[in-house]
Amino acid sequence: MASMMQPQIILLKEGTDTSQGKPQLISNINACMAVADVVRTTLGPRGMDKLIHDDKGNTTISNDGATIMKLLDIVHPAAKILVDIAKSQDSEVGDGTTTVVLLAGEFLKEAKPFIEDGVHPQNLIRSYRTASFMAIEKIKELAVSIEGKSLDEKRSLLAKCAATTLSSKLIGGEKDFFAKMVVDAVIAIGNEDRLNMIGIKKVQGGTMRDSFLVNGVAFKKTFSYAGFEQQPKKFLNPKILLLNIELELKSEKENAEIRLSDPLQYQSIVDAEWNIIYDKLDKCVKSGAKIVLSRLAIGDLATQYFADRDIFCAGRVAEDDLHRVAAATGATVQTSVNNVIDEVLGSCEIFEEKQVGSERFNIFSGCPLGQTATIVLRGGADQFIEEAERSLHDAIMIVRRAMKNSTVVAGGGAIDMEISRYLWQHARNIAGKSQLFINAYAKALEVIPRQLCDNAGFDATDVLNKLRQKHALAAGEGALYGVDINTGGISDSFANFVWEPAVVKINAINAATEAACLILSVDETVKNPKSESAQSDAAGMGRGRGGGGMRGGRGRGMRRR
């Protein structure tokens, strides 16, 4: 009786929404499965694209997992974890963003029946982590190194990795053309880690085959002043001066004040101003530079001055383009024109201004330091070129990773089937429930080849049975067999040059397992009403203040009666 009389203990603020236990866990799993279903159809060479239309009226057509996840603007707190792993896969490896979301969704889907039957999530998490560790060890064992090959061999192997990545993209029809271009661009920047050393410029018009690679720097002609057309448009072995200063006459600030006792003094002030700008221009000419680029404006006076002396100039050059010119030509960006010595000037074999479609481009080629490259992309619609750029970004990242890690595995679902078979076999030696959980993990890995078949319109059950049979052969004879997208059967992925860097798979399995374990470990969600009420209060106050401001505005300009 006494216990019934005790007052109720209130821990959380009134209006706080909490949901916990098994229903909450299953709700989180369902949300993640729904997100995985969105990108499911984009996987592989026959994957479909998504057209995303945002509230600003922009449309994006893409089949890149990370891009779709970012644009979807998911609000469910558990499903947001899948967005994060897609982003991390994109920034770390560049490709495999759809794979990682699909794997995480499938791990959770396989865990769902166990959760419903009352299995404790920690048992699942423990088994999943063990399985993931074993899967990664198996990938390292199966990976083939491309280290120690000659440059031509390595170039050919890297092109195959790039072509595998591009085959699932919108520009897959021209994958061989672009794969070679990507490999040349990555080799051009050498050991340079900064990805922005490869510039991608987009020009509407023409066909994809009109795209080209510049072993150097290319950027769009900047805003030009009078006298620009009188400048030479081509130089051989010119010296290049890079500046971060304005070369134009500036009007004074509104609050500038000069007091004169004699009107004649005004002319001396004007003359001094002109002398300063002429002095700067004269020092630029004396440096011996034939090309002057500046991040800030180069006005009409300077443009005409340089044109009269057969010097090319361009102002308002984008900062990343200026840095790429500096890296390629060996020039150093100057913040002053005083004491410009030869050591700070850059050089290149050929500089020319060239018409590309409706745009004019300034192109620096034959640069001594290399370390940079520019891909000029051509195509029809804006959305198409944007997607081509995203596709090339993935391919560039893959080639960079393959160069650094230099181990590759068979693609087309071959590596996934082999790990799955290995885990099934290992699970037989385990007693207890964890055998079931590792089997569930192994089954989840089959989602990649199954989805490749579904997206290509093949009978997934039939193809998977053939793959299981092939992979079950002794001595690992079938370890390299994956889905053959062209025939709807199975084939040796390695012999067909369907390769991907081992790091892509390792990262994808790691990230997907982490995400699945994290979601399985959450058993309660607490939503605080304070943030929601604060937002509505702020909106209300904003409306009130705006109204008052308008009334004040009307009153202030009127005559008092």
Side-chain angles (χ1 to χ4, degrees):
M1 194 70 183
S3 63
M4 289 174 69
M5 296 294 289
Q6 283 180 355
Q8 185 185 359
I9 296 170
I10 298 171
L11 281 179
L12 301 172
K13 189 177 173 182
E14 189 183 349
T16 302
D17 177 26
T18 72
S19 50
Q20 61 189 142
K22 195 196 290 183
Q24 176 58 40
L25 189 46
I26 289 170
S27 161
N28 287 347
I29 290 174
N30 288 340
C32 293
M33 282 162 59
V35 171
D37 285 341
V38 172
V39 295
R40 191 179 290 279
T41 56
T42 66
L43 185 75
R46 300 284 186 272
M48 308 297 279
D49 296 337
K50 304 288 178 192
L51 191 153
I52 300 167
H53 188 264
D54 64 16
D55 53 356
K56 293 175 187 157
N58 300 325
T59 54
T60 307
I61 298 173
S62 180
N63 75 350
D64 178 52
T67 305
I68 294 167
M69 299 296 271
K70 273 186 269 188
L71 293 171
L72 281 178
D73 200 15
I74 293 164
V75 292
H76 192 284
K80 270 186 175 175
I81 293 167
L82 297 194
V83 181
D84 292 338
I85 59 168
K87 283 181 184 172
S88 78
Q89 179 82 2
D90 192 41
S91 57
E92 182 62 25
V93 188
D95 196 24
T97 49
T98 306
T99 303
V100 76
V101 174
L102 213 50
L103 281 174
E106 202 66 17
F107 291 151
L108 291 169
K109 184 181 174 183
E110 291 298 329
K112 188 180 170 185
F114 295 115
I115 299 293
E116 286 171 338
D117 289 343
V119 172
H120 196 285
Q122 286 301 336
N123 293 340
L124 273 162
I125 290 169
R126 199 178 307 120
S127 297
Y128 271 19
R129 286 199 170 131
T130 305
S132 122
F133 177 74
M134 290 171 62
I136 288 164
E137 289 303 309
K138 187 67 177 170
I139 291 171
K140 288 176 180 171
E141 187 188 314
L142 291 168
V144 177
S145 176
I146 59 172
E147 199 60 70
K149 310 269 187 196
S150 70
L151 185 63
D152 285 343
E153 274 184 296
K154 199 174 245 190
R155 201 182 279 267
S156 161
L157 298 175
L158 291 171
K160 279 155 191 161
C161 286
T164 303
T165 300
L166 291 170
S167 65
S168 65
K169 306 293 182 189
L170 203 59
I171 56 176
E174 301 287 355
K175 64 181 180 184
D176 295 330
F177 173 74
F178 282 109
K180 184 178 179 301
M181 191 184 286
V182 164
V183 172
D184 289 345
V186 174
I187 288 174
I189 66 168
N191 296 322
E192 178 60 66
D193 272 339
R194 288 174 296 170
L195 195 61
N196 60 3
M197 285 295 120
I198 297 178
I200 298 181
K201 303 295 177 186
K202 297 164 285 193
V203 185
Q204 261 189 294
T207 64
M208 285 191 291
R209 285 253 166 198
D210 293 333
S211 305
F212 60 91
L213 175 75
V214 176
N215 270 325
V217 185
F219 55 84
K220 221 173 277 186
K221 173 177 168 289
T222 58
F223 179 82
S224 50
Y225 288 91
F228 182 83
E229 290 303 338
Q230 296 166 27
Q231 295 177 349
K233 299 295 185 252
K234 185 169 182 179
F235 290 99
L236 297 176
N237 298 314
K239 288 190 174 177
I240 300 161
L241 173 62
L242 305 182
L243 301 172
N244 191 13
I245 54 173
E246 284 180 324
L247 292 177
E248 65 176 344
L249 288 164
K250 296 291 286 179
S251 58
E252 291 301 330
K253 295 280 185 288
E254 291 163 7
N255 57 356
E257 186 178 321
I258 299 172
R259 299 191 180 213
L260 305 173
S261 54
D262 181 357
L264 294 174
Q265 289 177 325
Y266 179 72
Q267 188 58 45
S268 65
I269 291 168
V270 172
D271 290 344
E273 197 175 26
W274 280 77
N275 287 337
I276 290 168
I277 184 87
Y278 274 126
D279 181 48
K280 284 182 181 177
L281 298 177
D282 199 35
K283 282 175 177 169
C284 291
V285 174
K286 280 181 179 169
S287 70
K290 282 292 177 187
I291 297 168
V292 180
L293 303 180
S294 178
R295 197 172 76 80
L296 301 174
I298 294 181
D300 44 8
L301 168 72
T303 305
Q304 188 61 57
Y305 188 91
F306 287 137
D308 293 343
R309 287 156 183 77
D310 286 340
I311 294 173
F312 176 90
C313 72
R316 296 201 179 106
V317 177
E319 192 169 1
D320 58 338
D321 288 330
L322 202 68
H323 287 315
R324 289 194 303 113
V325 173
T329 62
T332 309
V333 180
Q334 301 296 299
T335 52
S336 163
V337 290
N338 295 322
N339 195 28
V340 176
I341 53 176
D342 273 355
E343 281 75 11
V344 301
L345 298 177
S347 65
C348 68
E349 283 177 18
I350 301 171
F351 166 82
E352 63 180 327
E353 190 172 289
K354 192 173 168 185
Q355 191 79 22
V356 180
S358 60
E359 306 283 354
R360 281 164 76 178
F361 270 74
N362 297 329
I363 297 173
F364 299 79
S365 48
C367 301
L369 297 182
Q371 287 195 337
T372 184
T374 308
I375 295 171
V376 179
L377 273 181
R378 306 297 308 279
D382 260 345
Q383 288 92 338
F384 182 87
I385 301 179
E386 294 284 344
E387 176 60 3
E389 183 190 11
R390 284 189 286 271
S391 305
L392 287 183
H393 168 265
D394 284 7
I396 287 165
M397 289 289 282
I398 282 297
V399 173
R400 283 176 75 226
R401 288 291 165 204
M403 275 184 79
K404 287 195 173 177
N405 296 303
S406 69
T407 54
V408 295
V409 291
I415 188 76
D416 307 274
M417 285 303 290
E418 184 58 21
I419 300 165
S420 179
R421 180 205 61 78
Y422 171 66
L423 291 175
W424 278 105
Q425 211 169 3
H426 173 78
R428 287 179 185 172
N429 307 323
I430 300 171
K433 293 176 192 168
S434 58
Q435 182 186 93
L436 297 172
F437 307 151
I438 288 180
N439 280 347
Y441 191 96
K443 188 182 174 191
L445 287 168
E446 290 184 355
V447 70
I448 303 297
R450 184 185 296 114
Q451 201 59 50
L452 287 172
C453 294
D454 286 343
N455 290 353
F458 303 140
D459 183 345
T461 309
D462 184 42
V463 176
L464 277 176
N465 283 338
K466 285 180 185 171
L467 278 174
R468 285 194 195 104
Q469 181 197 9
K470 198 74 180 172
H471 282 261
L473 292 172
E477 286 175 35
L480 303 176
Y481 274 74
V483 180
D484 188 338
I485 290 297
N486 299 318
T487 63
I490 64 172
S491 65
D492 187 332
S493 296
F494 216 81
N496 289 342
F497 307 118
V498 180
W499 299 353
E500 51 187 337
V503 71
V504 175
K505 275 289 172 227
I506 291 171
N507 216 67
I509 286 176
N510 245 335
T513 309
E514 274 177 26
C517 291
L518 185 59
I519 289 160
L520 287 172
S521 67
V522 173
D523 75 335
E524 181 169 7
T525 302
V526 182
K527 192 187 280 184
N528 187 346
K530 188 177 176 185
S531 54
E532 291 176 12
S533 61
Q535 282 175 1
S536 58
D537 287 352
M541 284 171 68
R543 282 196 296 273
R545 279 202 302 270
M550 282 171 72
R551 283 196 298 274
R554 278 200 301 273
R556 200 169 52 195
M558 292 170 70
R559 189 179 56 171
R560 289 183 66 188
R561 289 179 178 170

